[in-house]
Amino acid sequence: MTDPNAIQPSELDQLPDRDPEETAEWQASLDAVAKAAGPHRAAYLMRRTLERAEGAGIALPKLLETDYVNTIPTAAEPSVPGDEEMEARITAWNRWNAAAMVTRGSKYGVGGHIATFASAAWLYETGFNHFFKGKEADGSGDQLYIQGHASPGIYARAFLDGRLNEHHLDNFRRESGGNGLPSYPHPRRLPWLWEFPTVSMGLGPLSAIYQARFNRYLTNRGIKDVSASHVWAFLGDGEMDEPESTAALALAAREELDNLTFVINCNLQRLDGPVRANFKIVQELEAQFRGAGWNVVKTLWGSAWDELFQLDTTGALVRRLRQVPDAQVQTYQTRDAAYIRQDFFGADPALAEMAKLIGDDKILDCFHFSRGGHEPRKVYAAYKAAVEHKGAPTVILAQTVKGHTLGQGFASKNANHQMKKLSVDEFKAMRDLLGLPIADSAFVDGVVPYAHPGADSPEVRYLQERRAALGGPAPARRVHPVAPLPAPAEKAFASFDKGSGSQNVATTMAFVRLIKDLVRDKETGKRWVPIVPDEARTFGMESLFPSLGIYSPKGQTYEPVDRDQLMYYKEAKNGQILNEGITEAGSMADFIAASTSYATHGEAMIPFYIFYSMFGWQRTADQMWQLGDQLGRGFLVGATAGRTTLTGEGLQHADGHSPVIAATNPAALTYDPAFAYEIATIVKDGLRRMYGEAAPGEDPDVFYYLTVYNEPLPQPAKPSGLGIDEGIVKGLYRFNTAESAELSPAVNAPRIQLLGSGTAIHWVLKAQQLLAEEWGVAADVWSATSWSELRRDALEADEALLRGEERVPYVRQALQGAEGPVLAVSDYMRQVPDQIAQWVEQDYSSLGADGFGLSDTREAARRHFGVDAESIVVAALAQLAKRGEVKATAVKEARERYGL
């Protein structure tokens, strides 16, 4: 009978055994240990042997999971420089004020979180005192991604060092009156303090990885040496459930981002209960990160456990710690010593004997309080190991107690994430535990006081001296005084004014051609950051490969298969293109890092991220919101845009709604340009506004979303006349009239205004011709480059009216005096052009591609949605018939003639 535990032939190493006798001796030794000392001893020896092999650089599969103990033994912990007692007092003040801030705010019902910072206080304080470099340090200082729910603790520290006052703290989560503090890290709301918005779960870790990668990109391209900067991301163990949290772990390891450290606060709790009730989240995360190639440092147990581990001569304690699920660890946190003796130690005879040597106080100290994340010496050892490790990023798995020092009413309770306040008695107990000199008389009318040792106190002087030595306050966001970028040569933009002549050109290709010219600019060309998710050839960008190079920290270690071709695939350490593979989320994280480099590093970079429009806002709108919150600048380009321009692909590729989603983002300027010269004008103005000299009242902290289509179509010359550029930028201008189009309408012909955007302008122009030639109707054609910008302008006019200011919306000014009704046409759902309906004085109607997309030819798809030229004609005649300007029978006749 075959032994089911025997190694099967398929599992054996395929290399021939050069010394079978030696191999047999090793195997016999392992069998002997297992027989004499038991399988646990054999497993222990194997793990130690594998660890030694890994440390020696011997090529073996990695050991994915280690014992549930600290990675750094107590004997190997370095001493902490500085004054540990002083740092403990500073941490106590911060704990108090963080809890006081949220409790005082609870009377307004604005919420807040106490327990998260209580568990993570030493994880932050150790970093602030010894590791986190400020903006005046080498490079650009460090980049800190703070866990959103810990923000009260960061505000408390800023209060201690004098950057915030009591008025600020009392306006936590109450911003409308000024001097308020946002709930979480929001750079747009508090731009001098916060650099990175992190509370959108999962986006913090993803962005941190790409920020560390972008730092390398800047250094390798010679833009700025930021090799001294380190990226720190503080995360919750529950947050690691988000797919974005672990989406780019392999990238970080593959590119050896040793300038990156994740600090995961493993307090074992989510919002509703345990993170892994029946399992062990620390072990799961260790295997996940080690498998991805990260350096893992576990900081689990505090010094009170040292005595227990010394008594564990049989390994029974270590085995039991591996067995106990996380939810039971939480239960120990709330139970007495007798319960722990019975449930934990009673599970193994060797542990039961050990427990006889330990007093109840020691057991409670270990199981209630002593966690590695609560002891500065152990946190310091982990951080030091992280910054000194080379060749891979590091994750620190720090075990803590959620609600630590807030009392047994908070610690490890399932509901503590929703608990917003402490009672006065609980605060007094906390005061006594922390040893803070706060008198009972300070609690006036039951209101908990803020506490401060004084601006000239030893604690504040120590805090400020430590920060000065590390390069200034942190966290901090600073927009360095950078001269506006010079405008690129006019030639790059003007070349589109004359149109494409007899050649049909897609606006996707027009945009790429513009970029090719702009990246050659001597002053600003190197600052462009092309980003594409493995679709460069789809968008005609392969010609940029050999000239700009694709960024790779290893350069090109192989001979490309297309080496003999003109547009060969070229990777380079100083490459300019970020070709991310099939990851829209990763590409957006790239974009965010590049778009905020003007603040993070004092280096203005101009990213453009080009993607299938259907796979942009629909998939990563949360990151677009993050981009706006972080005050990013640059160009998002939705290619193959519109519901009917991408032939044969079907509903999952047919974008009829991205401008609707984009319109919800206050920082996004959304354009659907119809012609190549419009793209050039919009990009030129965007460069001026974001990187040059913004006009008074213009916010430079915006980003542009341009939709471009892949359908080769005639690109006309730019019309002459005043106001064309202004109209393109503001969102609407008259492209032609029936007369200027030489359609020779009758003197008293019925007239209609046709508004079109993007690819729809071409069907509108065909409809204009049909209306004139077959129905005797004069149509003027308008290009609506941005429905949403027209709407925003109109909303601002409405707001001005409420203030008593008279202001006419631009859309009304532009259409003033235009004869006849208005018919708006878009390749998007009608909701897009209908954004402006209430501000148009003329009769208004619209056509759009509502519903799911479908696979077919462009012509069939447009007929299906009723947006082709013939459908436009019928809709126009129907509008005119309502007004009595054409016969009602004309509408029926047109339907029959065009097969509608």
Side-chain angles (χ1 to χ4, degrees):
M1 183 175 179
T2 303
D3 182 356
N5 297 316
I7 297 177
Q8 301 303 309
S10 60
E11 297 173 282
L12 293 174
D13 195 312
Q14 298 302 303
L15 294 175
D17 190 342
R18 295 185 299 176
D19 194 340
E21 184 177 347
E22 182 184 32
T23 303
E25 289 175 358
W26 278 82
Q27 293 170 336
S29 297
L30 181 63
D31 292 342
V33 171
K35 183 176 181 179
H40 296 300
R41 178 61 181 169
Y44 174 86
L45 291 175
M46 287 301 299
R47 286 199 299 272
R48 296 291 87 83
T49 302
L50 286 171
E51 288 173 356
R52 173 61 65 89
E54 184 177 332
I58 298 173
L60 283 174
K62 288 183 179 296
L63 188 66
L64 295 185
E65 187 180 318
T66 60
D67 289 329
Y68 201 64
V69 297
N70 294 348
T71 302
I72 303 172
T74 300
E77 292 169 0
S79 59
V80 181
D83 188 331
E84 291 188 49
E85 183 181 345
M86 182 71 72
E87 292 175 20
R89 294 206 299 271
I90 291 171
T91 305
W93 291 111
N94 292 340
R95 288 182 182 278
W96 178 274
N97 287 317
M101 181 194 324
V102 177
T103 297
R104 286 167 68 122
S106 66
K107 67 181 179 181
Y108 301 105
V110 295
H113 302 280
I114 301 177
T116 295
F117 177 73
S119 67
W122 275 113
L123 301 179
Y124 290 106
E125 194 60 36
T126 302
F128 284 131
N129 285 322
H130 302 288
F131 292 94
F132 304 157
K133 295 186 286 292
K135 295 299 179 185
E136 304 304 322
D138 291 342
S140 304
D142 288 355
Q143 288 81 55
L144 308 181
Y145 288 77
I146 304 295
Q147 190 179 2
H149 294 138
S151 62
I154 308 304
Y155 290 139
R157 198 172 201 276
F159 169 64
L160 203 64
D161 73 8
R163 293 196 290 165
L164 294 175
N165 56 40
E166 288 192 12
H167 180 69
H168 290 116
L169 301 192
D170 264 345
N171 282 290
F172 173 59
R173 291 193 169 201
R174 295 193 300 136
E175 301 176 75
S176 59
N179 291 321
L181 300 180
S183 53
Y184 304 121
H186 291 306
R188 188 169 285 275
R189 291 298 184 209
L190 202 61
W192 60 267
L193 181 73
W194 298 120
E195 273 197 292
F196 308 107
T198 51
V199 80
S200 189
M201 300 288 280
L203 298 190
L206 178 68
S207 293
I209 289 173
Y210 280 90
Q211 181 65 56
R213 195 284 194 91
F214 186 74
N215 290 357
R216 289 281 173 84
Y217 173 88
L218 283 181
T219 300
N220 288 337
R221 286 197 56 216
I223 302 293
K224 182 178 182 180
D225 184 359
V226 294
S227 55
S229 293
H230 199 89
V231 177
W232 300 82
F234 288 83
L235 318 167
D237 47 359
E239 183 178 5
M240 299 310 295
D241 286 346
E242 292 284 2
E244 295 90 348
S245 295
T246 55
L249 298 186
L251 167 73
R254 185 168 65 244
E255 299 204 1
E256 301 178 353
L257 298 181
D258 49 26
N259 60 339
L260 170 68
T261 297
F262 277 14
V263 181
I264 303 181
N265 179 16
C266 298
N267 57 36
L268 313 185
Q269 286 185 248
R270 291 195 189 107
L271 277 67
D272 292 330
V275 176
R276 292 290 184 274
N278 296 298
F279 307 94
K280 302 190 79 61
I281 185 60
V282 168
Q283 300 299 88
E284 179 182 319
L285 290 175
E286 178 184 28
Q288 194 168 12
F289 277 87
R290 287 176 69 90
W294 287 53
N295 175 46
V296 178
V297 178
K298 294 197 290 190
T299 303
L300 307 180
W301 307 113
S303 57
W305 284 82
D306 290 348
E307 180 182 344
L308 273 66
F309 286 123
Q310 289 171 3
L311 294 172
D312 184 27
T313 57
T314 65
L317 176 61
V318 173
R319 290 196 299 274
R320 182 67 177 136
L321 289 173
R322 287 171 61 90
Q323 295 167 356
V324 178
D326 284 352
Q328 190 64 21
V329 173
Q330 300 295 80
T331 298
Y332 294 149
Q333 179 71 37
T334 62
R335 302 300 291 270
D336 59 20
Y339 176 87
I340 298 171
R341 284 182 183 277
Q342 178 182 350
D343 189 85
F344 182 83
F345 292 97
D348 186 295
L351 286 179
E353 289 300 312
M354 180 192 300
K356 295 177 182 178
L357 305 175
I358 307 168
D360 285 356
D361 288 346
K362 170 62 74 172
I363 287 177
L364 292 179
D365 190 15
C366 287
F367 284 86
H368 283 190
F369 307 109
S370 187
R371 301 291 186 272
H374 296 322
E375 296 194 11
R377 180 185 177 101
K378 297 191 180 297
V379 175
Y380 180 88
Y383 285 9
K384 190 171 188 291
V387 296
E388 291 179 353
H389 185 81
K390 301 303 177 186
T394 294
V395 59
I396 295 169
L397 303 175
Q399 187 162 264
T400 66
V401 175
K402 193 166 186 176
H404 184 59
T405 73
L406 298 180
Q408 286 301 99
F410 258 85
S412 291
K413 294 297 177 66
N414 282 342
N416 64 18
H417 196 82
Q418 282 74 28
M419 296 162 70
K420 311 299 182 187
K421 59 184 178 179
L422 296 172
S423 68
V424 169
D425 288 341
E426 287 171 324
F427 266 109
K428 290 179 179 178
M430 180 183 175
R431 170 200 63 189
D432 296 340
L433 176 65
L434 297 176
L436 292 171
I438 303 170
D440 286 352
S441 59
F443 294 82
V444 179
D445 297 327
V447 177
V448 59
Y450 295 120
H452 199 291
D456 197 40
S457 65
E459 292 92 336
V460 173
R461 288 202 306 271
Y462 180 90
L463 181 156
Q464 292 175 341
E465 287 168 2
R466 291 305 309 140
R467 290 310 317 155
L470 287 166
R477 179 181 182 273
R478 184 175 302 174
V479 179
H480 301 261
V482 178
L485 295 182
E490 181 64 27
K491 180 181 178 182
F493 306 104
S495 63
F496 293 90
D497 290 353
K498 62 180 179 294
S500 62
S502 60
Q503 182 182 6
N504 289 342
V505 176
T507 54
T508 300
M509 296 307 301
F511 177 82
V512 171
R513 178 185 151 192
L514 174 63
I515 293 300
K516 288 179 182 177
D517 291 339
L518 293 175
V519 295
R520 295 192 188 104
D521 185 83
K522 292 181 179 180
E523 296 291 333
T524 60
K526 68 178 182 179
R527 298 193 175 274
W528 284 89
V529 183
I531 303 168
V532 61
D534 195 40
E535 289 287 358
R537 297 182 191 278
T538 302
F539 307 134
M541 292 174 58
E542 65 269 30
S543 62
L544 297 177
F545 289 168
S547 58
L548 301 184
I550 299 167
Y551 173 74
S552 169
K554 293 186 178 297
Q556 194 155 34
T557 61
Y558 61 91
E559 188 175 29
V561 67
D562 55 358
R563 61 194 177 279
D564 297 327
Q565 298 178 17
L566 181 62
M567 294 184 286
Y568 67 97
Y569 196 82
K570 176 186 175 184
E571 296 188 80
K573 190 173 183 178
N574 64 346
Q576 194 164 347
I577 301 170
L578 293 173
N579 191 325
E580 287 305 342
I582 307 174
T583 167
E584 288 81 10
S587 298
M588 268 307 302
D590 263 336
F591 188 90
I592 292 169
S595 70
T596 54
S597 181
Y598 72 93
T600 309
H601 296 299
E603 294 288 346
M605 304 299 287
I606 312 171
F608 78 88
Y609 164 35
I610 187 167
F611 49 88
Y612 269 92
S613 64
M614 188 65 162
F615 304 151
W617 287 86
Q618 176 163 299
R619 296 177 80 130
T620 58
D622 198 12
Q623 287 178 286
M624 273 77 164
W625 200 267
Q626 178 190 13
L627 167 65
D629 192 359
Q630 201 168 318
L631 291 80
R633 305 169 182 174
F635 297 95
L636 298 176
V637 184
T640 62
R643 185 146 277 162
T644 69
T645 63
L646 190 59
T647 56
E649 291 286 357
L651 66 89
Q652 290 185 347
H653 286 67
D655 171 25
H657 53 277
S658 69
V660 178
I661 306 174
T664 65
N665 192 308
L669 278 61
T670 303
Y671 288 89
D672 186 26
F675 304 125
Y677 66 79
E678 293 178 354
I679 291 174
T681 302
I682 293 165
V683 170
K684 178 183 177 182
D685 193 69
L687 290 172
R688 175 200 61 79
R689 176 171 177 171
M690 296 185 291
Y691 300 97
E693 296 284 358
E698 274 188 329
D699 183 5
D701 297 324
V702 295
F703 60 93
Y704 284 64
Y705 176 50
L706 278 70
T707 55
V708 292
Y709 52 83
N710 71 325
E711 184 176 0
L713 290 165
Q715 297 299 323
K718 187 175 184 178
S720 58
L722 297 174
I724 297 297
D725 284 0
E726 178 189 26
I728 292 172
V729 172
K730 288 191 172 183
L732 182 68
Y733 70 96
R734 184 156 51 193
F735 175 72
N736 71 16
T737 64
E739 290 76 14
S740 66
E742 299 181 354
L743 296 175
S744 304
V747 175
N748 295 318
R751 188 172 290 271
I752 189 169
Q753 308 299 316
L754 300 180
L755 279 57
S757 67
T759 188
I761 200 81
H762 297 280
W763 327 325
V764 169
L765 288 169
K766 182 179 178 183
Q768 178 191 40
Q769 184 178 1
L770 290 174
L771 282 166
E773 294 177 353
E774 299 186 12
W775 305 99
V777 172
D780 300 336
V781 173
W782 300 70
S783 180
T785 54
S786 179
W787 308 101
S788 61
E789 285 305 293
L790 292 172
R791 175 179 174 81
R792 283 182 182 162
D793 173 81
L795 289 172
E796 290 171 5
D798 287 355
E799 292 171 5
L801 188 62
L802 290 175
R803 298 191 299 267
E805 304 171 16
E806 288 292 337
R807 205 185 114 192
V808 180
Y810 174 79
V811 64
R812 188 170 295 168
Q813 294 178 44
L815 291 171
Q816 187 172 12
E819 298 178 38
V822 170
L823 175 60
V825 187
S826 166
D827 199 18
Y828 297 94
M829 54 197 303
R830 288 173 62 179
Q831 187 175 339
V832 175
D834 284 353
Q835 291 180 84
I836 67 170
Q838 72 184 81
W839 293 281
V840 175
E841 293 181 314
Q842 294 87 342
D843 293 338
Y844 187 90
S845 63
S846 64
L847 295 175
D850 285 76
F852 288 111
L854 77 165
S855 301
D856 213 314
T857 64
R858 293 183 178 112
E859 294 74 16
R862 285 162 191 164
R863 176 57 59 91
H864 170 82
F865 288 111
V867 293
D868 60 348
E870 291 78 8
S871 298
I872 296 171
V873 170
V874 172
L877 292 174
Q879 280 289 87
L880 292 169
K882 284 182 184 178
R883 296 160 60 93
E885 297 180 16
V886 300
K887 294 179 180 180
T889 56
V891 181
K892 182 174 184 292
E893 182 185 346
R895 286 198 196 101
E896 294 173 350
R897 181 182 301 182
Y898 300 135
L900 297 177

